[in-house]
Amino acid sequence: MAKSDAATPRERYRAQVRTEIKQHAWEQIATAGASALSLNAIAKRMGVSGPALYRYYAGRDELITELIRDAYRSLADAVHAAAGTGADLAGLAHVLRDWALADPQRYFLIYGTPVPGYHAPEEITGISQEIMADLLTACTALEPDAPATPFAAHLAGHRDWAGDHPAPPGALHRALAFWTRLHGVLSLELAGHFTGMGFDPAQLFQAELEDLVARRG
């Protein structure tokens, strides 16, 4: 008889508890921010001792890593699915915005202020590069022969952040402009800095996107 790949009751219970811990962690982050994350506080909410919780997560940093991994994986999957159906640069931008608006705390955990004392493992960088790879592909398709700006020429020799993607210098420049400008608008919107200014942040996001798509080089 072939060995079953099904999880054992113990493994299922462990997975359920880890999921519950993460749910409480997100609630705590929404209330006090990621820097205040506390396994002991989560244990109290769950009605168990602090040491009991450490059987599921070795410490705060392991829990933060799990939350960041989940967040990046969620965004990478959403972007990749859109790219797989033929979404262009504008389409990917709206995927990013929709994902951010759906859960601002999740967005800020990976694109907001770094958690003091925490350093993400190498695997997290790998997931974030998946997102950039789809963006670089969209930028290359938009204008494969974009003229090289002085900064694009600089990027030709400083492209470690792009991994092994073959995007030309013009696409590298466009991708970075896209990433910084649209994240800037999103971060300000989600933090409430546009409140009371009397304009629609969605319209600002769209205007920035149209400018990025239209720009040459």
Side-chain angles (χ1 to χ4, degrees):
M1 180 181 294
K3 184 178 179 179
S4 173
D5 291 329
T8 66
R10 175 188 287 270
E11 290 169 338
R12 289 196 298 271
Y13 176 74
R14 180 177 178 81
Q16 290 170 358
V17 174
R18 284 173 64 92
T19 296
E20 185 179 354
I21 291 170
K22 287 193 288 185
Q23 290 172 343
H24 284 290
W26 282 119
E27 292 172 3
Q28 198 176 95
I29 288 172
T31 301
S35 61
L37 191 63
S38 165
L39 263 67
N40 286 330
I42 293 172
K44 186 175 181 180
R45 287 288 305 275
M46 295 176 64
V48 300
S49 67
L53 222 62
Y54 283 87
R55 293 201 296 267
Y56 299 95
Y57 288 98
R60 183 205 68 158
D61 284 6
E62 183 181 342
L63 177 55
I64 291 175
T65 294
E66 185 83 358
L67 297 175
I68 290 175
R69 182 189 297 113
D70 288 352
Y72 266 125
R73 185 74 270 155
S74 173
L75 179 56
D77 288 349
V79 170
H80 194 62
T85 60
D88 58 9
L89 186 61
L92 298 185
H94 287 293
V95 168
L96 170 63
R97 186 169 190 272
D98 290 345
W99 184 89
L101 291 176
D103 192 338
Q105 293 303 326
R106 180 178 58 178
Y107 173 87
F108 280 126
L109 181 63
I110 59 176
Y111 293 119
T113 303
V115 179
Y118 172 78
H119 300 285
E122 190 70 26
E123 63 175 293
I124 300 301
T125 302
I127 301 174
S128 66
Q129 285 183 335
E130 293 179 34
I131 302 168
M132 184 57 73
D134 282 323
L135 173 58
L136 286 167
T137 297
C139 288
T140 300
L142 186 64
E143 192 176 354
D145 299 319
T149 62
F151 182 60
H154 168 78
L155 288 175
H158 299 81
R159 53 184 301 151
D160 290 351
W161 58 276
D164 59 0
H165 197 286
L172 295 177
H173 188 180
R174 189 189 298 272
L176 279 182
F178 173 101
W179 204 236
T180 54
R181 286 172 60 176
L182 296 190
H183 274 301
V185 173
L186 277 174
S187 296
L188 290 169
E189 177 184 2
L190 294 176
H193 292 295
F194 296 144
T195 301
M197 294 182 71
F199 67 86
D200 182 359
Q203 294 295 320
L204 174 59
F205 186 89
Q206 183 63 31
E208 287 293 284
L209 175 58
E210 290 173 358
D211 184 63
L212 287 165
V213 170
R215 68 187 292 273
R216 294 187 60 83

